[in-house]
């Protein structure tokens, strides 16, 4: 990508404390800041970190991240070219049981789950701050959670993936109510599926590959 002054975006401690406080009532663990430069032209918005991410504090550093890096290759992008974040920055979990392979005993463990709307509202100030500060020229939403966080519940990735949209995005209306309002600014958004979706539905692979070709073409034409 073109030369930029490298300065990492640091989320203010006060904001992190506020969001952690707003998240206390929920089954959320850890906190993974978004990763990338303040002047990044491209922002990727996923769903929420998983177990790997909350341990090493790098977004998309687990299995889904490996897939994301392969898709980004198609668009000739690297981690350094983008700001990577998610609708929720803590890991939403649920308890479940699993048989211990050695002992055969049932053990309780935490499993990833999709964040709820209330959790998305609780953590909204972080993504609002990231968008407001980075002012990305292109936002790529990864999956329905990221897409609906920014555009609203009526949007769906299956019908919109790979399209270039120009839209206002949603931000929290006030810290005292769970309601979004639209930003004054318009943003360019290309929705695609969450990279982990291919673990459950292999048929999505060529669709995601085509989306990243479209992302690569957009970047080459407008952002290089
Ligand atoms: N999925 C996400 O949406 N974000 C991560 O950081 C990891 C997996």
């Amino acid at each position: 990508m073109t030369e930029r002054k490298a300065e990492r975006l640091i989320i203010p401690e006060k904001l992190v404390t506020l969001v952690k406080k707003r998240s206390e009532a929920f089954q959320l663990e850890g906190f993974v800041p978004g990763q990338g430069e303040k002047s990044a032209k491209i922002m990727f918005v996923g769903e929420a970190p998983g177990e790997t991410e909350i341990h090493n504090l790098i977004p998309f550093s687990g299995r889904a991240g490996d897939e994301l890096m392969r898709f980004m290759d198609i668009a000739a992008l690297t981690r350094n070219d983008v700001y990577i974040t998610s609708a929720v920055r803590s890991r939403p979990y649920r308890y479940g049981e699993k048989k211990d392979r050695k002992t055969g005993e049932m053990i309780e463990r935490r499993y990833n789950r999709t964040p709820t709307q209330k959790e998305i509202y609780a953590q909204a100030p972080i993504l609002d701050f990231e968008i407001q500060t980075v002012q990305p020229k292109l936002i790529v939403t990864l999956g329905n959670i990221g897409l609906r966080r920014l555009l609203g519940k009526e949007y769906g990735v299956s019908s919109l993936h790979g399209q270039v949209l120009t839209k206002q995005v949603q931000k929290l209306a006030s810290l005292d109510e769970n309601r979004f309002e639209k930003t004054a600014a318009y943003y360019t958004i290309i929705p695609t599926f969450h990279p982990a979706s291919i673990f459950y539905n292999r048929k999505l692979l060529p669709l995601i590959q085509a989306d990243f070709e479209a992302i690569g073409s957009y970047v080459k034409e407008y952002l290089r």
Side-chain angles (χ1 to χ4, degrees), residues 1-9 36-41 80-81 83 134:
M1 299 257 341
T2 43
E3 283 297 308
R4 288 189 312 267
K5 199 169 135 264
E7 192 189 341
R8 296 253 135 195
L9 176 65
E37 289 172 21
K38 227 176 179 172
S39 59
K41 290 181 183 167
N80 290 333
D81 295 320
Y83 185 90
V134 174

Side-chain angles (χ1 to χ4, degrees), residues 4 14 29 36 38 41-42 50 62-63 83 88 94 100 113 117 122 126 136 145 156 158 166-167 188 193 197 206 220:
R4 288 189 312 267
K14 245 173 116 176
E29 62 172 344
K38 227 176 179 172
K41 290 181 183 167
I42 307 161
R63 270 177 85 212
Y83 185 90
V88 169
R94 64 175 174 83
D100 188 292
R113 63 170 170 80
Q117 191 60 36
I126 300 275
I145 297 291
S158 302
T166 307
K167 301 255 176 220
T188 300
F193 298 90
S197 60
K220 198 170 162 203

Side-chain angles (χ1 to χ4, degrees), residues 159-179:
S159 57
L160 291 173
H161 71 95
Q163 293 185 30
V164 181
L165 312 172
T166 307
K167 301 255 176 220
Q168 293 157 299
V169 301
Q170 298 191 129
K171 65 176 169 74
L172 200 63
S174 98
L175 289 174
D176 303 323
E177 57 181 321
N178 282 348
R179 182 171 65 82

Side-chain angles (χ1 to χ4, degrees), residues 46-50 53 59-60 64 86 194:
E47 179 174 319
E53 285 82 12
F60 281 101
S86 293
H194 194 282

